[in-house]
């Protein structure tokens, strides 16, 4: 009697499994559609580190397997201050749908100016899908056809490279989508980066002209006799003028590279010059008192020559090290 009941139970279980199989097949998620995106830049200009913006004009395109999908209509530029779009077109090419659009915009950029003016910047344009999450749409970067037009010039900069990378951004919210119960959502992204190296020599001269005039003035005055009263006063006056010029130059740095924390390259160069001028001032006062007091004047002049050479050597070495490190990092 037990065998028929067991056979009946197995038969019923088999029928239930067969009935459930089509349901599971129907419930399987539809694979996300992949679209290829790229961009060709025809202009990059008005790179403004103080304001943290740059401008660019470029063609952007997408290639999708379905006409209903057009990422150019549903994407957003995350770091755009303003954009203008036009010259849209969508055409069927080789069984796929190719869409193009001309875009001009102002984009916000977080400039790293620690090594200014020997800095290298990666100017970014960040794109993200704004409607369909990654379950429905994913991006692939068209790196082969993307890049900078050879005629693109940015005054004060050398544009040396371009790269674009597709990815996915996670947001710790579903934006109210009831089909996403886990409290997170994921959207396709595209990051476009233009590698820009600052034109160094001209910017360096402009940024340090007052500083080095003050430094040269301070170093040259060390040749004045430190024992003679009149020449000593002239020496102090020149050093004092140098300190004043360095302070004024230091205060103008915020207008040049904007508000910042820490000591950037230009800050460090100012600190070095100021420290050496203060050192030269302190030594000059001490040497004057020694030469007009208990120590022989000629001996003090000898000491002064050696100390002055040491200050000049320290100035040259410190500047060479700081500038060399900045150039290597930039």
């Amino acid at each position: 009697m037990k065998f028929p009941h067991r056979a009946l139970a197995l038969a019923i279980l088999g029928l239930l499994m067969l009935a459930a199989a089509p349901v599971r097949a129907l419930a399987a998620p539809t694979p996300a559609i992949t679209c290829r995106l790229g961009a060709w830049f025809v202009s990059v200009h008005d790179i403004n580190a103080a304001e943290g913006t740059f401008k660019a004009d470029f063609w952007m395109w997408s290639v999708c397997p379905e006409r209903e999908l057009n990422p150019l209509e549903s994407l957003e530029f995350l770091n755009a201050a303003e954009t203008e779009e036009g010259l849209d077109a969508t055409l069927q090419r080789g069984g796929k749908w190719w869409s193009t659009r001309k875009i001009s915009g102002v984009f916000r950029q977080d400039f790293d100016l620690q090594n200014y003016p020997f800095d290298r910047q990666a100017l970014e344009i960040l794109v993200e899908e704004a409607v369909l999450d990654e379950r429905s749409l994913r991006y692939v970067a068209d790196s082969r056809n993307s890049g900078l037009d050879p005629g693109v010039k940015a005054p004060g900069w050398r544009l040396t490279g371009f790269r674009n990378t597709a990815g996915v951004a996670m947001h710790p919210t579903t934006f109210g989508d009831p089909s996403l119960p886990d409290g997170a959502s994921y959207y396709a992204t595209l990051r476009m980066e233009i590698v820009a190296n600052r034109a160094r020599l001209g910017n360096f001269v402009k940024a340090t002209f007052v500083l080095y005039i003050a430094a040269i003035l301070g170093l040259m005055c060390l040749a004045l006799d430190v024992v003679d009263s009149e020449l000593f006063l002239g020496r102090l006056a020149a050093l004092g003028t140098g300190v004043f010029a360095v302070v004024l130059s230091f205060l103008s740095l915020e207008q040049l590279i904007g508000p910042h924390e820490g000591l950037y390259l230009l800050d460090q160069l100012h600190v070095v010059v100021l420290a050496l001028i203060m050192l030269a001032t302190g030594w000059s006062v001490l040497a004057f008192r020694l030469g007009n007091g208990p120590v022989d004047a000629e001996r003090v002049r000898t000491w002064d020559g050696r100390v002055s050479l040491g200050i000049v050597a320290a100035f040259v070495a410190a500047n060479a090290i700081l500038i060399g490190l900045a150039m290597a990092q930039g």
Side-chain angles (χ1 to χ4, degrees):
M1 295 296 293
K2 291 182 179 180
F3 178 78
H5 288 84
R6 182 177 298 177
L8 180 61
L10 291 175
I12 294 174
L13 180 60
L15 290 173
L16 290 175
M17 292 177 66
L18 290 174
V23 174
R24 287 197 299 270
L26 291 174
T30 303
I33 294 176
T34 298
C35 292
R36 189 170 73 250
L37 274 71
W40 184 257
F41 285 76
V42 296
S43 176
V44 178
H45 53 100
D46 293 346
I47 303 175
N48 193 323
E51 295 184 3
T53 60
F54 70 95
K55 297 180 181 179
D57 306 294
F58 55 97
W59 286 96
M60 193 168 184
W61 62 84
S62 67
V63 179
C64 297
E66 297 181 5
R67 175 67 179 86
E68 292 73 19
L69 282 178
N70 187 348
L72 301 186
E73 296 179 351
S74 58
L75 60 77
E76 63 175 336
F77 296 96
L78 298 182
N79 63 323
E82 58 181 79
T83 58
E84 294 182 5
E85 303 170 358
L87 301 176
D88 296 84
T90 298
L91 302 171
Q92 190 173 20
R93 290 287 189 265
K96 295 185 179 181
W97 292 91
W98 169 54
S99 299
T100 63
R101 174 174 291 182
K102 180 70 176 295
I103 299 169
S104 298
V106 179
F107 300 91
R108 294 181 294 271
Q109 173 74 21
D110 184 15
F111 287 88
D112 182 0
L113 300 176
Q114 293 189 56
N115 294 317
Y116 175 93
F118 302 102
D119 52 315
R120 177 189 293 120
Q121 305 293 337
L123 305 178
E124 295 183 335
I125 296 179
L126 307 176
V127 176
E128 183 173 315
E129 170 64 26
V131 178
L132 301 175
D133 62 39
E134 71 158 351
R135 297 174 300 173
S136 303
L137 177 61
R138 295 180 182 177
Y139 293 166
V140 172
D142 188 357
S143 300
R144 180 178 180 180
N145 297 299
S146 300
L148 300 171
D149 189 273
V152 173
K153 305 293 183 183
W157 297 81
R158 291 181 296 108
L159 305 180
T160 59
F162 175 85
R163 56 180 174 265
N164 60 343
T165 307
V168 176
M170 188 279 287
H171 298 279
T173 175
T174 64
F175 298 101
D177 186 343
S179 67
L180 295 170
D182 59 353
S185 56
Y186 300 83
Y187 290 85
T189 63
L190 185 73
R191 180 187 300 270
M192 298 180 284
E193 295 182 346
I194 303 167
V195 181
N197 292 283
R198 194 183 299 271
R200 301 175 173 184
L201 183 58
N203 288 291
F204 183 73
V205 171
K206 293 177 183 178
T208 59
F209 181 77
V210 175
L211 172 67
Y212 285 123
I213 288 296
I216 292 172
L217 178 64
L219 294 176
M220 289 180 62
C221 78
L222 294 178
L224 297 176
D225 190 347
V226 74
V227 178
D228 182 90
S229 298
E230 292 185 3
L231 294 179
F232 168 72
L233 292 176
R235 183 167 175 167
L236 284 187
L239 290 170
T241 302
V243 170
F244 182 71
V246 172
V247 171
L248 288 181
S249 178
F250 186 81
L251 294 176
S252 68
L253 289 183
E254 188 166 310
Q255 298 179 357
L256 183 64
I257 58 179
H260 57 280
E261 297 181 0
L263 292 177
Y264 289 4
L265 172 63
L266 291 181
D267 299 317
Q268 295 169 8
L269 293 177
H270 280 74
V271 169
V272 166
V273 173
L274 185 61
L276 291 175
I277 290 178
M278 297 302 294
L279 176 62
T281 302
W283 162 250
S284 297
V285 172
L286 176 61
F288 176 76
R289 291 183 177 179
L290 291 174
N292 290 275
V295 182
D296 179 70
E298 290 304 318
R299 177 175 295 183
V300 171
R301 290 188 177 97
T302 301
W303 292 349
D304 181 56
R306 294 174 180 174
V307 171
S308 297
L309 286 176
I311 291 175
V312 172
F315 169 77
V316 173
N319 278 265
I321 290 173
L322 292 174
I323 294 172
L325 290 174
M327 294 179 68
Q329 294 173 3

